Amino acid sequence: SRTAPGRSGRGGPGWAHPRHGAEGGGGRRAPFLLRALRIAVVVCLYWFTSIAMVFLNKYLLDSPSLRLDAPLFVTFFQCALTAALCLGLSLGAACGPPCAGLPTLRLDPKVSRSVLPLSAVFIGMVTSNNLCLKHVGVAFYNVGRSLTTVFNVLLSYLLLKQTTSLYALLACGVIIGGFWLGVDQEGAEGTLSWTGIFFGILASLCVSLNAIYTKKVLPVVDGSIWRLTFYNNVNACVLFFPLMMLLGEFRTLYHFDKLGSPSFWGMMTLGGVFGFAIGYVTGLQIKFTSPLTHNVSGTAKACAQTVLAVIYFEETKSFLWWTSNLMVLGGSFAYTWVKGLEMRKVQEDPNVKSGERNETGV
């Protein structure tokens, strides 16, 4: 199961030694403090990277001072930078640490074609995420694309024939209620963007599809997330060109007055680096905690991000608006907790494993 790697990541030799050794309290305390400090650093790094990436993308996509109406170009640049960083770090693998463990990357057209269906979903995911962020405020962004969990349940049933427990469905109901209450409150405050809502729902769908297609495509790249990231972003760069031409973004860039500005390209590069880094720090957080803890951390991060956005943009929100956010966050946390308990039950009870495996969902 997906919980096992997270546990084994924490349970290496350094973790097991204090339990089995004959050392005193000092010997036991040091490894525990070291693990706690390491987990705290990783979680803080994940929070900082994720929140900074959202605020940077909001600036690039919808800043009044920048006035750049080219969301596909922003997304294309981030994909190109991610592919370049993957290739650069792979080339550095021959130089030893810290890149020694990375696989060598080379572009195989046959593999690229096999990854293409996932790349199309990937483009839909990153583009709709950015378009949702462009049209809604950062404070509402979490609610606007909060239906990912609901689509996980729906697609798991339709495509994978996996059923979901009643408690998990109730948690999904709370998320849907929070989403609709949030939409209603955004409308009441005069800040509702139906375009943003549409792309938020589309982003939620694409995130779920991306998870399913990733599982199907991973064998093509020998199970390497690193290689899959490289092929995904290379394919995306190629596919973005006709889309940018169709939507006239090259003409927009030609007339953009800050195209030669070092500060603009600095912000673009910084956004791309954070976009690349989020995948790495997400993996670190799962490795040093667990998938369940990662989901809980992500829910708490979304709460902090919403509060920071309201403070930074000096917004005033109603009680019901905050209630909608709490419903989405509470429903997401409840779903994560229920699925964690179900996964643990499947792991610990051999008699349940064969009969209830499909009830754990995605």
Side-chain angles (χ1 to χ4, degrees), residues 20-355:
H20 300 287
E23 297 178 357
R28 296 186 182 190
R29 200 177 300 119
F32 171 79
L33 291 176
L34 182 62
R35 289 199 320 276
L37 179 62
R38 184 170 56 185
I39 290 172
V41 169
V42 168
V43 170
C44 288
L45 186 62
Y46 168 78
W47 279 41
F48 171 76
T49 304
S50 181
I51 293 175
M53 182 183 66
V54 171
F55 276 87
L56 273 170
N57 280 344
K58 182 62 177 177
Y59 169 79
L60 293 169
L61 294 163
D62 194 39
S63 171
S65 61
L66 199 60
R67 299 188 306 276
L68 175 62
D69 188 20
L72 292 185
F73 171 72
V74 173
T75 312
F76 159 79
F77 181 84
Q78 293 176 350
C79 290
L81 186 59
T82 296
L85 287 171
C86 285
L87 186 59
L89 290 174
S90 174
L91 293 175
C95 302
C99 302
L102 301 179
T104 303
L105 296 177
R106 62 181 183 85
L107 193 61
D108 185 337
K110 183 179 179 180
V111 175
S112 184
R113 285 194 301 270
S114 300
V115 177
L116 198 57
L118 173 62
S119 299
V121 175
F122 174 75
I123 285 180
M125 179 182 71
V126 295
T127 302
S128 53
N129 264 322
N130 280 350
L131 287 172
C132 175
L133 184 58
K134 176 180 173 63
H135 291 283
V136 304
V138 176
F140 187 70
Y141 177 62
N142 180 59
V143 174
R145 50 182 299 279
S146 61
L147 298 181
T148 299
T149 300
V150 178
F151 280 117
N152 280 345
V153 171
L154 183 62
L155 293 177
S156 295
Y157 179 75
L158 293 177
L159 300 181
L160 305 177
K161 305 304 179 184
Q162 292 178 343
T163 57
T164 305
S165 68
L166 176 61
Y167 289 117
L169 290 176
L170 289 175
C172 289
V174 174
I175 295 172
I176 295 172
F179 172 79
W180 282 115
L181 181 59
V183 171
D184 176 74
Q185 290 304 299
E186 283 286 301
E189 296 183 4
T191 55
L192 178 64
S193 167
W194 283 108
T195 302
I197 295 300
F198 169 77
F199 283 115
I201 295 173
L202 184 61
S204 300
L205 174 61
C206 288
V207 169
S208 298
L209 285 172
N210 186 73
I212 292 173
Y213 274 90
T214 296
K215 291 179 181 180
K216 293 184 177 181
V217 173
L218 266 176
V220 176
V221 290
D222 301 322
S224 171
I225 291 291
W226 187 259
R227 288 194 178 99
L228 185 61
T229 300
F230 174 69
Y231 277 104
N232 240 348
N233 283 276
V234 168
N235 284 350
C237 289
V238 175
L239 295 174
F240 267 126
F241 264 95
L243 292 175
M244 288 189 292
M245 290 183 63
L246 185 64
L247 297 178
E249 290 201 359
F250 288 113
R251 184 170 60 252
T252 301
L253 290 170
Y254 179 78
H255 295 288
F256 181 52
D257 58 349
K258 294 182 178 63
L259 197 60
S261 168
S263 61
F264 165 70
W265 288 109
M267 293 296 285
M268 286 284 287
T269 302
L270 192 60
V273 169
F274 273 106
F276 170 80
I278 189 62
Y280 179 71
V281 296
T282 297
L284 275 182
Q285 182 167 249
I286 294 173
K287 176 182 178 181
F288 289 114
T289 59
S290 68
L292 174 62
T293 305
H294 166 68
N295 288 335
V296 173
S297 173
T299 302
K301 186 275 305 180
C303 181
Q305 179 178 294
T306 299
V307 173
L308 284 174
V310 170
I311 295 173
Y312 180 79
F313 293 106
E314 299 179 347
E315 299 172 340
T316 302
K317 300 297 183 182
S318 67
F319 173 77
L320 287 177
W321 187 93
W322 286 108
T323 301
S324 71
N325 276 265
L326 291 175
M327 288 177 66
V328 166
L329 294 171
S332 300
F333 175 80
Y335 179 86
T336 299
W337 188 259
V338 168
K339 301 308 287 185
L341 292 176
E342 291 176 359
M343 292 294 289
R344 186 179 302 173
K345 182 180 178 182
V346 169
Q347 281 185 319
E348 294 177 352
D349 190 347
N351 297 323
V352 175
K353 200 172 276 189
S354 60

